[in-house]
């Protein structure tokens, strides 16, 4: 796992016959993600395969793609050897449904990419759709060409998946990982078997979490899913530059360079890898907006990569309003996305030797460490220069005297706010058989019993009156259902309210997973120091998919 943990940033490439449609079918722009066009339009296989006869990416240049990944600061490259459409983008002997046998191009781009990656020092990896296959009579999810009842999934694994994996793992040199996906039909036994199969062929090759049933070497968040707080274990977020994975000429919903960098920094602070996708055209060209954005990310990475590569997640349980934290040995990197003159970091026990800017090691940042006995709070205050050194994210390096030790109790920010995430709460569930759980991003899941409740110990520096906001969520692709009411209390002070979807959050985290901010009411906290915040469910609409989904609770000082 070490190369993968150190890498933090990779390139995803979705490239296949779908690119030849540019997202259009029968003269109409289609909805949804580009590589799903065959499924969405229920295109008969005999029609879809015609795309191969005009798939001729003469402008494909493996070295240029790999150079772009490298310029962007990416350390690995994962490309679709076979996506759900079942078409092999390499020379496969298993059938003729592949780029060498079925297209006028007749070259094996994977051979060329493997070579270019090796030369550039980029770890080469394959995406392989082990479950959905809309070409194979036994693969899952093509019910317009094939009769679902006649399918034999085990035969598909035996006759197509394994022989193709063998090709991919024996003919292209060392492979960093196989990125399996959508484990909808596969059984646990079959997932374990596939993982072992990969490891037998190449012991060093990792297996993505989406091999199914939690048996992979690491876990993947949902697509474009951003964890709410810190996570445990090895995680990766697969993400798009616009909305589609496979090329769609009409998708111009490009994320800005600032968004991409802030996501990268956010994920690195949570110890999560970011595998960012490009969708090349059927000419073999990576869209120019993708190229531009990735080069801008790369320019930042060249100066600040030390704060990303080979780092560990922030040791804190909370994330801060000014940015994110990574660590390496006795260094703490403060990745500042919200520049300010006075930057506050609470809870650091370790003495700081010096603070410098990563982009200019000569710049010393004045700082002060103090202890506030009233709130039992260790504080570090840095006096930052007026001008931020980088427009996206500036990095301060704290050189520590000793190994890092921090107080992980969520502590009020210096501006008075305090966000709390369910993942860091204590769960109280008297009847264990109906204990709530958490989804990948750290929101509550399956909270259907009112007997369950959450509590957090917090540290308050400035007592006073607070607005209480509860951020509710819903399952992706499912409608919001009203009918939940909650109470938040601190000591004897409490406030209650119904949850609605009226106020949709526009934060980056909520771009693909809707979040709804609900202001309950106010509560008074009378003294500084440690308090306990409790969140209880008064009413739960058990018909709501996923039950009561809470993403965060936030205390905001009342003006
Ligand atoms: O269905 C696929 C989709 O086309 C794409 O490959 C993404 C990438 O993470 N994975 C699946 C959906 O989660």
């Amino acid at each position: 796992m070490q190369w993968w943990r150190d890498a933090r940033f990779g390139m995803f490439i979705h490239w296949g016959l779908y690119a030849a449609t540019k997202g259009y079918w029968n003269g109409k722009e289609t909805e949804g993600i580009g590589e799903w066009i065959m499924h969405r339009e229920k295109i008969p296989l005999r029609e879809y395969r015609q795309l191969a006869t005009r798939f001729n990416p003469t402008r494909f240049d493996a070295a240029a793609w790999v150079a772009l990944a490298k310029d962007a600061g990416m350390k690995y490259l994962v490309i679709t050897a076979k996506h759900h459409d079942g078409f092999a983008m390499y020379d496969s002997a298993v059938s003729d449904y592949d780029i060498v046998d079925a297209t006028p191009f007749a070259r094996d781009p994977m051979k060329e990419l493997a070579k270019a990656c090796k030369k550039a020092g980029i770890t080469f990896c394959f995406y392989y759709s082990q479950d959905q296959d809309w070409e194979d009579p036994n693969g899952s999810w093509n019910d317009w060409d094939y009769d679902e009842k006649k399918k034999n999934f085990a035969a598909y694994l035996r006759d197509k998946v394994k022989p193709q994996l063998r090709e991919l793992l024996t003919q292209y040199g060392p492979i960093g990982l196989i990125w399996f996906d959508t484990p909808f039909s596969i059984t646990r036994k079959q997932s374990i078997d596939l993982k072992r199969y990969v490891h037998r062929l190449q012991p060093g090759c990792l297996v993505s979490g989406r091999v199914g049933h939690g048996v992979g070497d690491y876990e993947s968040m949902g697509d474009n899913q951003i964890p709410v707080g810190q996570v445990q274990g090895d995680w990766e977020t697969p993400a798009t530059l616009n909305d589609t994975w496979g090329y769609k000429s009409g998708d111009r919903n490009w994320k800005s360079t600032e968004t991409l960098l802030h996501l990268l920094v956010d994920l690195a602070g949570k110890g999560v890898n970011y595998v960012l996708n490009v969708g090349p055209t059927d000419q073999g060209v990576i869209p120019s907006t993708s190229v531009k954005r990735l080069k801008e990310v790369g320019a930042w990475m060249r100066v600040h990569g030390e704060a990303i590569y080979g780092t560990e997640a922030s040791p804190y349980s909370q994330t801060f309003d000014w940015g994110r934290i990574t660590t390496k040995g006795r260094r703490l990197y403060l990745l500042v996305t919200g520049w300010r003159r006075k930057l506050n970091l609470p809870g650091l026990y370790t003495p700081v030797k010096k603070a410098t800017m990563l982009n200019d090691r000569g710049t010393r940042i004045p700082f002060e460490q103090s202890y506030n006995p009233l709130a039992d709070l260790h504080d570090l205050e840095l006096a930052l220069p007026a001008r931020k050194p980088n427009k996206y994210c500036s990095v301060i390096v704290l050189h520590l005297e000793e190994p890092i030790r921090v107080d992980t109790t969520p502590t009020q920010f210096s501006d008075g706010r305090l966000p709390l995430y369910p993942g860091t709460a204590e769960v109280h569930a008297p009847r264990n058989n109906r204990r709530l759980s958490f989804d990948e991003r750290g929101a509550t899941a399956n909270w259907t019993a009112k007997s369950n409740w959450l509590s957090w110990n917090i540290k308050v520096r400035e007592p006073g009156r607070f607005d209480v906001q509860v951020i509710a969520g819903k399952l992706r692709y499912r409608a919001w259902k009203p009918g939940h009411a909650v109470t938040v209390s601190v000591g004897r002070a409490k406030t209650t309210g119904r949850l609605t979807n009226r106020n949709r959050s526009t934060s980056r985290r909520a771009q693909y997973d809707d979040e709804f901010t609900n202001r309950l009411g106010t509560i008074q906290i009378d003294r500084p120091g440690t308090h306990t915040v409790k969140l209880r469910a008064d009413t739960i609409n058990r018909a709501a998919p996923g039950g009561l989904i809470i993403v965060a609770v936030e205390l905001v000082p009342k003006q």
Side-chain angles (χ1 to χ4, degrees):
M1 291 296 297
Q2 203 53 49
W3 74 264
W4 184 88
R5 287 184 189 132
D6 289 348
R8 281 286 173 262
F9 191 29
M11 177 180 268
F12 218 160
I13 306 181
H14 277 66
W15 196 39
L17 293 184
Y18 36 82
T21 69
K22 302 179 173 51
Y24 286 79
W25 196 247
N26 292 332
K28 275 208 214 90
E29 187 167 8
T30 58
E31 279 182 32
I33 44 183
E35 69 286 3
W36 271 74
I37 193 165
M38 178 178 175
H39 191 277
R40 180 172 279 270
E41 302 299 315
K42 303 280 177 273
I43 304 173
L45 181 59
R46 71 186 136 65
E47 247 180 88
Y48 186 81
R49 69 186 323 147
Q50 291 306 312
L51 291 170
T53 60
R54 57 184 169 92
F55 192 84
N56 195 13
T58 47
R59 291 170 69 193
F60 168 69
D61 177 351
W65 287 14
V66 172
L68 177 63
K70 194 159 178 151
D71 267 5
M74 292 156 154
K75 299 287 189 191
Y76 59 113
L77 184 153
V78 188
I79 183 160
T80 46
K82 189 206 80 167
H83 201 263
H84 309 330
D85 65 0
F87 188 77
M89 290 296 285
Y90 70 98
D91 190 12
S92 174
V94 174
S95 84
D96 284 347
Y97 200 49
D98 72 66
I99 190 165
V100 174
D101 296 314
T103 76
F105 188 55
R107 268 160 56 192
D108 183 341
M110 302 302 155
K111 278 258 147 71
E112 295 173 36
L113 281 166
K115 209 165 130 201
C117 279
K118 190 170 176 206
K119 200 160 159 206
I122 299 280
T123 304
F124 188 49
C125 312
F126 287 123
Y127 171 107
Y128 188 89
S129 178
Q130 85 283 17
D131 197 315
Q132 293 190 68
D133 191 308
W134 310 325
E135 182 256 349
D136 194 278
N138 290 316
S140 32
W141 282 47
N142 181 345
D143 58 2
W144 58 98
D145 286 301
Y146 305 117
D147 182 351
E148 288 289 322
K149 288 194 289 288
K150 290 197 183 132
K151 287 185 177 177
N152 179 347
F153 187 72
Y156 159 67
L157 288 177
R158 185 193 62 215
D159 300 338
K160 185 164 186 183
V161 175
K162 282 189 166 177
Q164 288 203 324
L165 285 173
R166 175 176 286 279
E167 293 173 334
L168 293 169
L169 289 163
T170 54
Q171 296 169 22
Y172 297 85
I175 301 301
L177 60 91
I178 301 282
W179 218 96
F180 291 113
D181 205 359
T182 64
F184 298 152
S185 321
I186 197 163
T187 65
R188 185 182 160 81
K189 212 164 148 229
Q190 288 166 332
S191 294
I192 292 172
D193 182 52
L194 268 195
K195 177 180 168 179
R196 290 203 179 125
Y197 187 71
V198 170
H199 285 171
R200 250 199 323 275
L201 289 164
Q202 280 202 28
C205 180
L206 304 177
V207 168
S208 83
R210 294 202 197 166
V211 71
H213 304 279
V215 305
D217 291 312
Y218 67 88
E219 287 293 341
S220 289
M221 293 280 156
D223 295 346
N224 285 304
Q225 194 170 44
I226 308 300
V228 179
Q230 298 305 115
V231 299
Q232 304 292 322
D234 293 304
W235 287 88
E236 175 189 62
T237 289
T240 50
L241 266 157
N242 42 1
D243 290 327
T244 186
W245 303 84
Y247 179 66
K248 263 186 113 178
S249 60
D251 183 346
R252 298 193 188 88
N253 194 22
W254 300 104
K255 292 171 186 72
S256 67
T257 303
E258 180 180 82
T259 295
L260 299 172
L261 267 170
H262 286 196
L263 289 174
L264 171 71
V265 161
D266 181 20
L267 292 169
K270 293 165 179 167
V272 177
N273 279 16
Y274 187 36
V275 56
L276 182 56
N277 182 72
V278 294
T281 68
D282 60 338
Q283 288 291 301
V285 176
I286 296 178
S288 58
T289 312
S290 305
V291 173
K292 182 166 180 286
R293 298 281 197 277
L294 292 183
K295 286 196 166 163
E296 285 165 0
V297 169
W300 183 89
M301 284 294 263
R302 269 191 290 286
V303 180
H304 304 95
E306 182 190 319
I308 303 286
Y309 305 125
T311 58
E312 284 178 39
S314 164
Y316 287 88
S317 69
Q318 66 185 137
T319 53
F320 296 101
D321 51 346
W322 45 257
R324 295 291 177 263
I325 298 173
T326 58
T327 72
K328 203 185 288 177
R330 289 190 183 183
R331 287 182 174 198
L332 207 68
Y333 300 96
L334 311 183
L335 298 115
V336 186
T337 46
W339 193 256
R340 58 204 54 205
R341 296 306 301 274
K342 277 204 159 98
L343 191 144
N344 174 273
L345 178 69
L348 181 65
Y349 295 129
T350 322
V352 175
K353 220 187 315 181
K354 61 176 178 177
T356 55
M357 292 305 307
L358 186 56
N359 67 311
D360 170 10
R361 279 151 219 264
T363 313
R364 291 276 189 119
I365 305 288
F367 67 90
E368 202 185 339
Q369 279 184 288
S370 60
Y371 176 67
N372 168 353
L374 224 55
D376 180 27
L377 202 80
H378 290 260
D379 253 330
L380 168 72
E381 195 135 284
L382 296 131
L384 307 186
R387 259 178 73 90
K388 54 178 169 183
N390 186 280
K391 67 173 169 174
Y392 301 120
C393 174
S394 309
V395 181
I396 299 162
V397 191
L398 299 183
H399 306 256
L400 306 177
E401 298 271 13
E402 298 155 14
I404 305 166
R405 276 190 321 119
V406 301
D407 178 354
T408 55
T409 315
T411 300
Q412 200 184 6
F413 295 163
S414 53
D415 72 358
R417 290 189 311 121
L418 177 51
L420 296 166
Y421 303 128
T424 59
E426 194 174 328
V427 179
H428 306 265
R431 285 157 59 203
N432 270 332
N433 53 346
R434 283 170 67 200
R435 193 186 172 86
L436 64 82
S437 54
F438 298 98
D439 66 13
E440 295 96 331
R441 77 196 138 131
T444 57
N446 306 312
W447 188 350
T448 53
K450 284 198 301 183
S451 56
N452 283 205
W453 54 284
L454 302 180
S455 73
W456 295 263
N457 286 334
I458 60 165
K459 274 194 181 169
V460 171
R461 59 173 78 230
E462 283 289 336
R465 187 156 274 285
F466 293 84
D467 266 328
V468 176
Q469 298 185 349
V470 173
I471 300 169
K474 66 168 191 63
L475 288 192
R476 210 185 268 192
Y477 313 122
R478 304 294 290 273
W480 162 266
K481 282 237 162 76
H484 304 298
V486 296
T487 294
V488 173
S489 61
V490 180
R492 255 184 254 127
K494 66 178 179 183
T495 176
T496 298
R498 292 200 151 273
L499 301 181
T500 76
N501 66 343
R502 274 198 287 277
N503 190 6
R504 190 176 171 275
S505 161
T506 52
S507 81
R508 279 193 189 103
R509 194 181 62 206
Q511 193 185 347
Y512 294 90
D513 285 300
D514 291 346
E515 296 179 8
F516 309 104
T517 306
N518 285 267
R519 198 186 147 263
L520 294 195
T522 63
I523 51 169
Q524 177 75 28
I525 300 181
D526 282 329
R527 51 166 187 82
T530 304
H531 295 266
T532 305
V533 177
K534 295 178 182 164
L535 171 68
R536 292 177 193 272
D538 302 317
T539 322
I540 297 179
N541 177 359
R542 290 176 56 189
L548 168 59
I549 299 178
I550 299 295
V551 180
V553 172
E554 198 162 330
L555 304 183
V556 183
K558 193 126 181 81
Q559 297 305 328

